[in-house]
């Protein structure tokens, strides 16, 4: 085909279209139309009108077909009747008025259309464009136009023809998609902005809260205290809202990640119960934490996010419950390979939620109705955040509720499991045979107690009202199946009579009594003890507390209800009132040192490294410093050197006594300490008598020194052995059947105080397993220094509880670390882990032994 260019300018094109319309006389005779439609020729036309046989086909297609002559003649114009469906104008209207095409073109698309048309005419190429037409009723129709110039046999353009296809739906879909993307981008930008803003607001607000706290500790008048309390409350609620907004926006911006670290779900839930107990108590609500014993203690997940979800659910439950109780539960659903599935539930006896509102609650900013905001406040974000977090942790969240009866929110968690028996060590094992009598008249508490005792203590444990307690105790005795422990509410009616009846019946003496008190009941410990109780237990009942109280009651013959001064009979009074600084990086040693000092009436501040010790000594006056020699960063020797340098440089009048705490006990160690400027030297594991004697001798401005002889618990053979171990000498061989912990040595070291010894053991139990794990990680990462320090710490901890075999292995590993013998360290790891596990598993038995020993020694009240 001869494609002679047929150039047409924009204006020409418009003029041509206008001509087509025959602007002077738009009316075209119906006759003409009909003629055209029938394909009849009037002699002037080019004879291109569609043939009848094609017309029926063309007029059925779902597109508009059109053609127009290029000489401006109107009779050469044709448009198919589908135009009516497309734009609402009839075919006749259109053909009578061809300029309509141009007129109905969207003004913004005219130029583009004309340009394309001109290009087609100029180049002979296909016309192809997407453009908008305005329909009769004003709505916009997107069409794709395709047309071409048709030429005669000489290549002269004679007309153009084409189709217009309705693409409105495609355009709409694309527009919607684009709008969606834009909206998402805008929402992300908003969330990022919110996150940044909330963070910016939170930082100074934290400052405000801190300052209010400082202010309220400055001896304010009553009215000033009230104002600061109100300011603190307002700041707290503002902080809560900001935290919600921050979290929500972080989630929206996809910036929340969940951690996978080891944690104890029991501890997370119990700590939260303790934290929220005062709010429950203010509303007179019972708060319960019911964890089934099968829920493992050691799991891998994100404790902070779990705490956040629980806090939100429990706070809501407390907010929407006026009477009754709020409870948290956790149960093991199943274990599957590396995963442990736990179901957690928060239930209340509150107002409930109507069934038709349940599904909207997890959407952001939604509350049951607007009156909720007015009455209870809140943002409606908490549940939306909780849902996101639970889903991020691989779980689901749901709700069941009944108006007027209460609500239960539940969620599931997919957590990592820790392989091996050590994961589930709890002190409960040995208590399974303890038969407990719980005295309780309140129906709610009875139900909760029953759940807490189930599966943990003897199945023959019972719950009764005060009035029936004495009979049941006697019956159990007669049946030779006495109760080991009785839990008795201290403030209940009839409690004194019950105590008297028990006291007067000599056959009931071996049932140990535990006083149950409300959370904030600061009853007189002496009075409780005199009433015959051996331990106290505060509500809300936490499993760990219940176990502690029952352990205390069953392992000690008698004790004051509150753990007070040690019963060693030592006359530590000459040290009472001393305030010391303890520089020690090992958490367990910190605990032991602090507890030992407390028993002599000393108080102490604790810092974890040498540079903090230097700072502390400069800031505050201490009567003396107990300085661990081996600490990360600035060690004890270096810290002491610097303290002495500063004393000299500053012309200090007083030389602060510094006592070295060292686990080394190697020859020349004492000299090194003295050279560094230390005044005394106590080897670890700490022997209380040694420590007190050394402090007494060095802290001169206090009364007189206490002598080792004054301490009623002299060094045991075992402690003698451990404290004088020459460091370079090989560790003593481990006898296969040797018991992992020397309980007698431990008790002596804890000044014959079984309570102190039990607490020390419990700390050790977790520590031993944890440190063994960390040590493996350290050796695995070839971190010789870190691994050596861990071995050193573990050695000290083991020595303190009298775990000689564990101490020996840790010692060997430490020595290998000093020699840079990574391979030997690696080889010893399994041995160390086995021994740590053996120790941890032995703890319950050790606790029982401690009980028996303290009975035999006749620990005084
Ligand atoms: P907020 O408490 O800040 O309003 P949430 O998303 O935590 O936001 O809760 C949304 C709404 O769900 C609450 O306003 C309340 O209407 C309802 N709701 C949540 N928990 C309970 C509950 N335990 N009992 C009754 N209604 C509840």
């Amino acid at each position: 085909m001869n494609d002679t260019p047929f150039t047409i300018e924009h204006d020409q094109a418009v003029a041509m279209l206008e001509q087509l319309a025959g602007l002077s006389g738009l009316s075209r005779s119906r006759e003409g139309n009909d003629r055209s439609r029938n394909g009849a020729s009037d002699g002037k036309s080019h004879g291109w009108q569609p043939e009848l046989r094609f017309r029926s086909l063309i007029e059925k297609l779902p597109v508009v077909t059109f053609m127009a002559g290029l000489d401006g003649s109107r009779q050469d114009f044709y448009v198919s009747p589908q135009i009516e469906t497309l734009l609402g104008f009839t075919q006749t209207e259109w053909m009578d008025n061809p300029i309509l095409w141009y007129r109905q073109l969207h003004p913004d698309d005219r130029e583009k259309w004309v340009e394309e048309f001109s290009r087609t005419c100029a180049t002979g190429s296909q016309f192809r464009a997407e453009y908008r037409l305005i329909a009769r009723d004003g709505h916009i129709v997107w069409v794709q136009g395709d047309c071409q110039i048709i030429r005669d046999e000489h290549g002269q353009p004679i007309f153009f023809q084409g189709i217009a296809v309705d693409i409105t739906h495609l355009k709409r879909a694309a527009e919607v998609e684009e709008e969606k993307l834009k909206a998402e981008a805008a929402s992300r930008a908003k969330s990022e902005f919110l996150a940044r803003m909330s963070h910016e607001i939170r930082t100074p607000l934290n400052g405000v809260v801190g300052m209010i706290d400082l202010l309220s500790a400055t001896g304010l008048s009553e009215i000033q205290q009230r104002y600061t309390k109100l300011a603190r409350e307002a700041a707290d609620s503002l902080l809560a809202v900001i935290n919600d907004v921050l979290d929500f926006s972080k989630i929206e911006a996809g910036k929340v990640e969940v951690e996978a670290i080891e944690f104890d779900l029991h501890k997370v839930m119990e700590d939260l119960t303790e934290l929220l107990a005062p709010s429950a108590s203010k509303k007179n609500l019972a708060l319960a934490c019911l964890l089934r014993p099968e829920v493992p203690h050691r799991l891998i997940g994100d404790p902070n996010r779990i705490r956040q979800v629980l806090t939100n659910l429990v706070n809501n439950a407390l907010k929407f419950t006026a009477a009754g109780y709020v409870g948290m539960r956790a149960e093991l659903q199943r274990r599957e390979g590396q995963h442990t599935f736990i179901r957690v539930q928060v239930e209340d006896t509150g107002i409930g939620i109507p069934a038709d509102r349940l599904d909207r609650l997890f959407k952001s900013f939604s509350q049951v109705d607007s009156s909720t905001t007015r009455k209870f406040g809140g943002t409606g974000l908490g549940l939306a955040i909780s849902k996101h977090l639970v889903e991020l942790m691989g779980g689901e969240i749901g709700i069941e509720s009944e108006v007027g009866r209460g609500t239960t929110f539940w969620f599931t968690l997919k957590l990592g499991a820790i392989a091996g028996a050590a994961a589930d060590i709890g002190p409960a094992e040995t208590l399974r045979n303890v038969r407990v009598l719980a005295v309780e008249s309140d129906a709610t508490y009875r139900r909760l107690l029953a759940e807490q005792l189930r599966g943990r203590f003897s199945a023959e444990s019972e719950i009764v009202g005060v009035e029936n307690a004495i009979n049941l105790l006697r019956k159990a005795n007669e049946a030779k199946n006495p109760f080991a422990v009785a839990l008795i509410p201290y403030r209940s009616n009839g409690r004194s009579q019950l105590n008297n009846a028990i006291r007067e019946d000599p056959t009931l003496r071996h049932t140990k009594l535990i006083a149950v008190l409300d959370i904030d009941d600061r009853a007189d410990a002496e009075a409780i003890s005199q009433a015959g109780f051996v331990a106290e237990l505060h509500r809300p009942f936490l499993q760990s507390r219940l176990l502690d109280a029952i352990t205390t009651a069953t392992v000690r013959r008698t004790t004051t209800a509150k753990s007070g001064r040690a019963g060693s009979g030592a006359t530590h009074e000459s040290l009472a009132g001393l305030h010391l600084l303890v520089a020690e990086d090992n958490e367990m040693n910190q605990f032991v040192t602090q507890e030992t000092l407390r028993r002599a009436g000393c108080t102490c501040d604790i810092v974890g490294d040498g540079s903090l010790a230097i700072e502390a000594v400069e800031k505050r006056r201490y009567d003396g410093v107990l300085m661990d020699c081996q600490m990360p960063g600035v060690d004890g020797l270096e810290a002491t050197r610097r303290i002495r340098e500063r004393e000299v440089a500053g012309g200090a009048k007083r030389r602060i006594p510094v006592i070295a705490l060292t686990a080394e006990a190697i020859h020349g160690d004492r000299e090194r300490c003295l050279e560094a400027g230390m005044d005394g030297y106590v080897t670890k594991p700490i022997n209380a008598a040694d420590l007190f004697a050394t402090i007494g001798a060095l802290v001169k401005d206090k009364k007189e020194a206490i002598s080792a002889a004054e301490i009623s618990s002299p060094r045991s053979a075992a402690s003698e052995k451990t404290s004088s171990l020459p460091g370079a000498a090989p560790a003593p061989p481990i006898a296969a059947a040797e018991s992992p912990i020397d309980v007698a040595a431990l008790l002596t070291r804890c000044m014959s105080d079984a309570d102190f010894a039990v607490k020390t053991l419990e700390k050790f139990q977790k520590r031993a397993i944890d440190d063994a794990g960390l040590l493996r990680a350290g050796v695995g990462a070839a971190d010789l220094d870190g691994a050596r320090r861990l071995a050193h710490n573990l050695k000290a901890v083991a020595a303190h509880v009298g775990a000689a075999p564990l101490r020996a292995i840790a010692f060997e590993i430490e020595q290998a670390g000093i020699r840079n013998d990574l391979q030997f360290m690696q080889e010893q790891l399994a041995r160390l882990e086995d021994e740590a596990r053996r120790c941890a598993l032995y703890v319950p038995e050790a606790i029982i032994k401690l009980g028996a020993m303290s009975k035999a020694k006749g620990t005084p009240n």
Side-chain angles (χ1 to χ4, degrees):
M1 183 165 143
N2 179 358
D3 278 356
T4 311
F6 170 73
T7 311
I8 184 163
E9 297 299 326
H10 179 270
D11 292 346
Q12 264 181 298
V14 175
M16 190 186 80
L17 283 161
E18 301 216 323
Q19 241 184 8
L20 265 173
L23 286 179
S24 49
L26 279 176
S27 62
R28 179 156 188 228
S29 74
R30 183 136 301 281
E31 195 192 335
N33 256 338
D34 288 344
R35 231 182 321 124
S36 161
R37 267 184 224 139
N38 291 332
S41 166
D42 59 3
K44 280 192 212 156
S45 74
H46 298 283
W48 47 262
Q49 286 91 340
E51 292 292 334
L52 194 58
R53 61 177 180 276
F54 292 122
R55 183 175 296 160
S56 60
L57 175 65
I58 281 171
E59 295 185 354
K60 290 268 177 326
L61 292 173
V63 296
V64 175
T65 318
F66 58 86
M67 46 183 90
L70 293 169
D71 59 358
S73 128
R74 261 191 308 159
Q75 50 203 109
D76 295 340
F77 184 71
Y78 168 81
V79 66
S80 67
Q82 293 94 319
I83 192 72
E84 188 166 351
T85 317
L86 187 73
L87 296 175
F89 296 96
T90 63
Q91 182 190 35
T92 314
E93 278 176 294
W94 208 265
M95 290 183 42
D96 281 351
N97 188 6
I99 191 66
L100 263 180
W101 194 265
Y102 184 72
R103 285 203 182 149
Q104 295 311 115
L105 256 177
H106 192 288
D108 292 349
D109 291 349
R110 279 186 189 157
E111 192 150 331
K112 185 175 78 177
W113 190 94
V114 170
E115 256 169 37
E116 179 66 6
F117 185 63
S118 308
R119 193 186 58 78
T120 301
C121 295
T123 61
S125 62
Q126 183 103 356
F127 171 101
R128 171 164 277 221
E130 287 174 359
Y131 50 92
R132 285 163 290 180
L133 289 167
I134 301 166
R136 167 171 245 140
D137 61 5
H139 81 268
I140 306 280
V141 179
W142 269 99
V143 297
Q144 176 168 327
D146 266 296
C147 65
Q148 56 192 343
I149 305 284
I150 305 295
R151 297 162 191 275
D152 63 14
E153 60 276 24
H154 310 293
Q156 287 305 312
I158 43 177
F159 65 91
F160 67 91
Q161 66 176 25
I163 55 167
V165 184
D166 185 356
I167 55 164
T168 311
H169 58 292
L170 297 177
K171 282 288 183 191
R172 287 274 172 273
E175 274 168 19
V176 167
E177 182 60 26
E178 196 179 328
E179 271 162 26
K180 194 172 139 239
L181 289 175
K182 270 194 208 151
E184 279 170 3
S187 162
R188 254 197 316 279
K190 180 203 72 188
S191 299
E192 273 169 27
F193 171 75
L194 270 178
R196 249 199 318 275
M197 281 312 290
S198 316
H199 183 76
E200 293 301 317
I201 300 169
R202 210 159 55 145
T203 310
L205 192 56
N206 278 325
V208 171
V209 169
M211 286 301 139
I212 295 174
D213 284 350
L214 288 178
L215 187 63
S216 41
T218 55
L220 302 177
S221 70
E222 209 169 296
I223 186 88
Q224 287 167 331
Q225 272 174 15
R226 231 178 58 221
Y227 291 159
T228 45
K229 185 168 166 279
L230 289 175
R232 175 68 211 253
E233 279 169 14
D236 281 347
S237 34
L238 182 53
L239 209 51
V241 172
I242 293 168
N243 283 341
D244 267 4
V245 173
L246 178 63
D247 273 333
F248 184 73
S249 42
K250 269 197 193 155
I251 289 172
E252 290 252 292
K255 293 229 165 103
V256 171
E257 281 171 15
V258 288
E259 276 194 302
I261 53 171
E262 189 186 324
F263 75 104
D264 181 350
L265 184 61
H266 291 250
K267 184 158 166 28
V268 167
M269 290 177 66
E270 291 203 339
D271 286 354
L272 187 63
T273 311
E274 283 213 298
L275 189 76
L276 299 178
S279 319
S281 165
K282 252 189 227 155
K283 290 185 82 177
N284 240 342
L285 298 172
L287 182 63
C289 178
L290 304 162
L291 279 130
R292 294 308 311 144
E294 309 75 54
V295 173
H297 277 261
R298 299 179 66 193
L299 291 162
I300 293 173
D302 190 332
N304 292 323
R305 296 299 179 191
I306 296 173
R307 189 179 304 112
Q308 188 179 354
V309 174
L310 272 170
T311 307
N312 178 42
L313 297 182
V314 178
N315 271 333
N316 274 350
L318 291 171
K319 187 153 83 168
F320 297 106
T321 305
Y325 101 110
V326 168
M328 269 183 264
R329 286 171 190 281
E331 64 183 28
L332 175 68
Q333 281 189 308
R334 64 183 192 282
R335 292 177 205 259
E336 228 174 71
Q338 295 293 300
H339 293 116
T340 300
F341 292 80
I342 308 276
R343 182 185 153 106
V344 184
Q345 187 163 306
V346 175
E347 57 202 29
D348 65 55
T349 51
I351 58 173
I353 301 166
D356 60 339
R357 306 289 164 97
L358 290 178
D359 55 342
R360 68 160 77 161
L361 287 183
F362 293 108
K363 300 201 175 109
S364 40
F365 305 107
S366 70
Q367 297 183 317
V368 167
D369 59 42
S370 52
S371 62
T372 307
T373 325
R374 261 175 274 128
K375 189 164 170 206
F376 298 103
T379 55
L381 282 178
L383 290 176
I385 294 172
S386 301
K387 181 172 157 64
H388 276 292
L389 292 179
V390 167
E391 285 169 359
L392 272 175
M393 291 188 281
E396 284 177 280
I397 190 164
I399 176 176
E400 284 146 28
S401 187
E402 203 178 317
V403 172
R405 294 188 71 86
T407 304
T408 297
F409 281 94
W410 57 263
F411 60 93
T412 53
L413 293 169
K414 180 180 174 188
L415 300 166
I418 293 180
D424 293 312
I425 293 165
E429 288 305 313
T430 51
L431 298 171
R432 288 255 161 92
N433 297 325
V434 172
R435 189 173 182 216
V436 180
L437 175 70
V439 178
E440 182 57 71
S441 305
D442 180 274
T444 306
Y445 282 120
R446 284 171 78 114
R447 195 160 54 77
L448 297 177
L449 261 168
E451 287 195 51
Q452 286 188 306
L453 299 180
R454 184 159 55 89
R456 288 195 164 92
F457 304 97
S458 158
E460 291 173 63
S461 297
E462 297 205 40
I463 305 171
V464 284
V466 176
E467 61 289 356
N468 297 324
I470 191 77
N471 282 343
L472 204 63
L473 282 167
R474 286 190 180 129
K475 261 199 219 151
N477 241 16
E478 282 158 22
K480 303 257 175 299
N481 187 17
F483 289 98
V485 183
L487 303 172
I488 303 173
Y490 188 63
R491 305 286 180 193
S492 58
N493 290 335
R495 196 269 306 156
S496 321
Q497 291 91 312
L498 176 60
N499 276 127
N500 290 340
I502 295 173
R503 213 189 331 242
E504 281 158 19
D505 187 340
T507 64
L508 298 181
R509 291 243 167 92
H510 37 254
T511 301
K512 303 293 172 229
L513 308 185
I514 296 175
V516 175
L517 296 155
D518 275 340
I519 175 176
D520 43 5
D521 191 342
R522 300 275 161 261
D524 176 20
E526 208 46 49
I528 293 178
S529 179
Q530 270 165 18
F533 292 103
V534 299
E536 284 177 23
L537 184 59
H538 284 262
R539 289 190 174 114
F541 286 153
L542 300 178
Q543 276 311 321
S544 56
R545 290 277 175 76
L546 190 63
L547 295 172
D548 270 357
I550 293 180
T551 308
T552 307
T554 48
V555 302
R556 298 189 64 179
R557 198 172 61 136
T558 49
T559 176
T560 47
K562 279 193 173 162
S563 61
R565 287 280 184 86
S568 65
T571 54
H572 312 312
E573 274 67 31
S574 52
L575 301 188
L578 289 182
H579 186 59
L580 302 162
L581 176 71
V582 177
E584 164 67 80
D585 65 316
N586 181 308
E587 196 196 316
M588 164 108 182
N589 287 339
Q590 289 176 352
F591 165 75
V592 167
T593 312
Q594 186 176 30
E595 282 295 301
T596 309
L597 289 174
R598 197 166 67 81
R599 281 163 166 75
C602 303
T603 52
C604 66
D605 289 348
I606 296 179
V607 290
D609 68 45
S611 53
L612 291 175
I614 301 168
E615 252 176 56
V617 166
E618 271 186 346
K619 277 204 198 122
R620 204 174 159 172
R621 191 195 145 91
Y622 292 98
D623 295 307
V625 183
L626 302 183
M627 182 82 82
D628 180 28
C629 286
Q630 282 214 359
M631 288 183 285
V634 177
D635 69 15
L637 297 172
E638 178 59 17
T640 310
R641 254 178 237 121
R642 291 200 208 161
I643 290 173
R644 294 299 176 225
E645 281 165 14
R646 286 177 193 210
E647 279 173 351
V648 173
K653 292 200 186 73
R654 168 178 172 263
R655 177 185 160 101
I656 187 168
V658 179
I659 296 168
L661 299 178
T662 171
E664 300 291 7
I666 47 174
H667 301 302
D669 213 6
R670 179 182 289 264
E671 284 69 22
R672 282 200 299 138
C673 291
L674 296 179
E675 259 168 37
M678 292 174 166
D679 307 291
Y681 179 92
V682 175
T683 52
K684 289 193 270 187
I686 290 175
N687 174 287
D690 273 356
L691 181 68
F692 295 158
T694 314
I695 296 175
L698 291 169
V699 183
K700 299 230 171 56
D701 41 347
K702 286 284 155 186
K703 286 189 260 164
E704 65 185 63
I706 189 164
S707 78
E710 278 181 279
I711 310 295
S712 69
S713 46
R715 283 183 187 201
S716 70
S719 82
E720 203 65 75
K721 187 176 82 183
T722 45
S723 60
S724 61
L725 265 176
I734 304 158
E738 190 178 350
S739 121
I741 296 171
D742 183 345
V743 181
L746 171 67
L747 191 60
T748 304
R749 201 163 294 115
C750 291
M751 302 144 82
S752 300
D753 182 343
D755 208 16
F756 182 14
V758 168
K759 281 196 184 131
T760 307
L761 270 181
E762 282 171 352
K763 280 206 174 290
F764 163 74
Q765 186 184 37
K766 183 168 179 339
R767 197 57 212 255
I769 300 288
D770 284 355
D771 278 6
L774 288 174
L775 192 57
R776 178 173 281 283
V779 172
D783 174 11
L784 262 174
D785 220 13
R788 188 190 45 72
R789 204 178 2 258
L790 276 165
H792 174 83
N793 282 343
L794 189 54
K795 180 188 77 179
V797 168
H800 189 84
V801 296
L806 182 63
R807 196 210 73 87
I809 306 171
F811 174 75
E812 283 177 30
I813 296 182
E814 183 192 10
Q815 292 303 310
I818 294 169
R819 297 195 301 272
N820 285 350
D821 188 349
L822 196 62
Q823 194 187 340
F824 182 82
M825 289 173 108
Q826 237 152 10
E827 285 163 9
Q828 298 305 309
L829 282 176
R831 247 178 97 212
L832 183 92
E833 283 163 347
D834 285 347
E835 189 55 34
R837 210 168 295 132
R838 195 165 79 97
C839 285
L841 289 167
Y842 183 73
V843 165
E845 198 179 324
I847 292 178
I848 303 277
K849 275 196 178 164
L850 277 171
M853 282 179 190
S854 70
K855 271 182 207 167
K857 280 197 177 185
T859 310
N861 285 349

